[in-house]
Amino acid sequence: MGYRVAVIGATGNVGREMLQTLAERDFPCDDVIALASERSAGREVSFGEDEVLKIQDLAKFDFKGVDIALSSPGAKVSAVHSPRAAAAGCVVIDNTSHFRMEHDIPLVVPEVNPEAIAKYKKRGIIANPNCSTIQMVVALKPLHDLAKIKRVVVSTYQSTSGAGKDAMDELFNQTRAIYVNDPVEPHKFTKQIAFNVIPHIDVFMEDGSTKEEWKMVVETKKIMDPDIQVSATCVRVPVFIGHAESINVEFERPITVAQARAALSKAPGVVVVDQREPGGYVTPAECAGEDATYVSRIRKDPTVPNGLSLWVVADNLRKGAALNAVQIAEVLIKDYLKK
Ligand SMILES: NC(=O)c1ccc[n+]([C@@H]2O[C@H](COP(=O)([O-])OP(=O)(O)OC[C@H]3O[C@@H](n4cnc5c(N)ncnc54)[C@H](OP(=O)(O)O)[C@@H]3O)[C@@H](O)[C@H]2O)c1
């Protein structure tokens, strides 16, 4: 017997990728329910090669009898509907930022802290981390195990798909407008995104950082180690899919480039592509549609006693969102929700 699985936000960037990932990985579902807003009710979305699902209105949906919900309808909507689904007995894997830092909600990357999933029983909700955090901790965990990380300085190059489907359209429309000499008007972003970069993702915090930067700091501590210091600068770039990160790491103990490369090469979910020649590294355009977190440009930072620098790239809609959520669901059904 298989599972009843609901995908909340099924018309969105993450929701569509979740449906695709469930189908590709042959997740044992008897029934898949696609939910979105009232606006989309009745529309159709594809599931796998030849199945079509009719969208139902989340607000009217009763979660009784649903085993697992993969949820990505935005933080405010999740705040209302994830607890409602959990109260009906469904385990919710929530992709929004709403529950991530609540102390009794596990925040999970299966390659890094799968044991945290056990804590889902109290609230019935498991949080999926921010896309930039996920790919960073996948790459950092094997290095932390080797030489204990003290401090991380990260700059991100984040694609427009991380801001939803309307943001991708804005990049497309602005790019076209520039070529035909039409006026460029920002709507979703604060400034022109085509042929530009914007050092601002999510709202500003009191200390001058942005909430996206804050998320990378606090989520890394919660998932990996509260003692790691993180300084982040998050930047939106005119790329459709795939986030890149330039990461500088300071360790407590000595670590060589060869040791780091060997540990990363056998780490789950990581692919090392690091040839130190033109093209011997991975870029976002090549990681779109792929499951791995790619690590390139591994090199010593000689300015601190034990330092390394890396370049990390992943598909933000897959490992950064849908794939991570489905991997959590796979651990859930293997270890906790056996049928
Ligand atoms: N994109 C990423 O890389 C990424 C990564 C990790 C987490 N997330 C998080 O996942 C969430 C969704 O991101 P996205 O990129 O998929 O956004 P998106 O493309 O804009 O899609 C939003 C989805 O939410 C649905 N929705 C909006 N309001 C709703 C309501 N009142 N009731 C029910 N459904 C509603 C939309 O349905 P309609 O089509 O009916 O409006 C749509 O299916 C966000 O919280 C985001 O922060 C995104």
Side-chain angles (χ1 to χ4, degrees):
M1 204 170 104
Y3 295 81
R4 285 192 82 205
V5 178
V7 173
I8 308 174
T11 54
N13 272 347
V14 175
R16 278 177 293 151
E17 202 68 42
M18 281 169 166
L19 289 169
Q20 172 100 0
T21 308
L22 285 170
E24 274 176 21
R25 292 172 74 93
D26 276 331
F27 192 87
C29 339
D30 274 353
D31 187 16
V32 180
I33 304 138
L35 302 168
S37 76
E38 191 186 7
R39 298 178 289 275
S40 309
R43 271 181 52 193
E44 289 179 337
V45 284
S46 329
F47 175 60
E49 290 289 293
D50 37 35
E51 236 184 292
V52 169
L53 308 174
K54 212 165 229 161
I55 299 283
Q56 301 182 50
D57 179 2
L58 168 66
K60 295 200 186 117
F61 184 74
D62 180 357
F63 283 91
K64 203 154 166 250
V66 177
D67 299 293
I68 298 173
L70 305 176
S71 181
S72 63
K76 283 188 188 140
V77 181
S78 267
V80 176
H81 294 283
S82 289
R84 184 172 75 77
C90 171
V91 182
V92 182
I93 303 168
D94 192 283
N95 266 266
T96 74
S97 57
H98 188 76
F99 298 98
R100 289 181 192 148
M101 293 314 295
E102 293 192 18
H103 73 95
D104 52 0
I105 302 251
L107 182 65
V108 178
V109 178
E111 293 87 342
V112 179
N113 63 338
E115 68 290 344
I117 291 179
K119 283 201 226 140
Y120 83 88
K121 288 179 184 150
K122 183 146 181 237
R123 304 263 308 263
I125 300 173
I126 299 165
N128 212 47
N130 178 260
C131 38
S132 304
T133 310
I134 294 178
Q135 68 182 67
M136 184 169 82
V137 297
V138 167
L140 291 186
K141 175 70 164 78
L143 305 180
H144 187 51
D145 290 345
L146 206 61
K148 199 157 193 307
I149 295 173
K150 264 167 66 175
R151 178 168 184 257
V152 174
V153 180
V154 55
S155 296
T156 69
Y157 305 73
Q158 297 182 222
S159 65
T160 52
S161 58
K165 53 189 187 307
D166 296 347
M168 296 173 85
D169 290 345
E170 185 152 316
L171 171 59
F172 181 85
N173 291 330
Q174 285 186 0
T175 306
R176 189 175 51 188
I178 286 168
Y179 277 120
V180 298
N181 248 338
D182 275 353
V184 170
E185 282 170 25
H187 298 286
K188 186 89 190 166
F189 296 112
T190 52
K191 303 221 176 199
Q192 176 184 317
I193 184 66
F195 304 100
N196 200 10
V197 298
I198 307 174
H200 168 197
I201 300 179
D202 210 331
V203 297
F204 274 90
M205 313 282 287
E206 248 177 40
D207 66 356
S209 61
T210 63
K211 195 156 181 204
E212 187 81 353
E213 290 157 359
W214 173 83
K215 286 176 204 163
M216 290 194 80
V217 175
V218 294
E219 292 180 14
T220 301
K221 286 173 182 281
K222 180 166 174 177
I223 298 163
M224 218 157 67
D225 186 336
D227 292 336
I228 296 179
Q229 300 299 308
V230 180
S231 171
T233 301
C234 293
V235 181
R236 189 72 70 192
V237 297
V239 164
F240 284 111
I241 293 178
H243 289 358
E245 297 178 343
S246 152
I247 309 178
N248 178 261
V249 196
E250 201 181 335
F251 297 88
E252 256 178 44
R253 299 190 288 274
I255 175 170
T256 64
V257 167
Q259 286 169 328
R261 186 174 286 129
L264 286 163
S265 298
K266 53 180 202 271
V270 175
V271 172
V272 175
V273 178
D274 189 19
Q275 279 143 19
R276 296 186 171 186
E277 62 186 32
Y281 39 79
V282 173
T283 61
E286 301 150 89
C287 80
E290 299 293 326
D291 286 348
T293 295
Y294 293 93
V295 182
S296 307
R297 305 284 328 276
I298 307 166
R299 61 207 190 276
K300 188 175 167 58
D301 171 8
T303 65
V304 289
N306 305 308
L308 289 178
S309 293
L310 334 158
W311 175 250
V312 175
V313 176
D315 180 331
N316 53 295
L317 298 178
R318 284 185 83 97
K319 186 54 194 167
L323 172 65
N324 197 71
V326 173
Q327 286 175 312
I328 294 172
E330 288 169 349
V331 178
L332 258 182
I333 61 169
K334 183 168 77 60
D335 295 342
Y336 303 94
L337 300 178
K338 276 206 186 86
K339 287 218 169 184

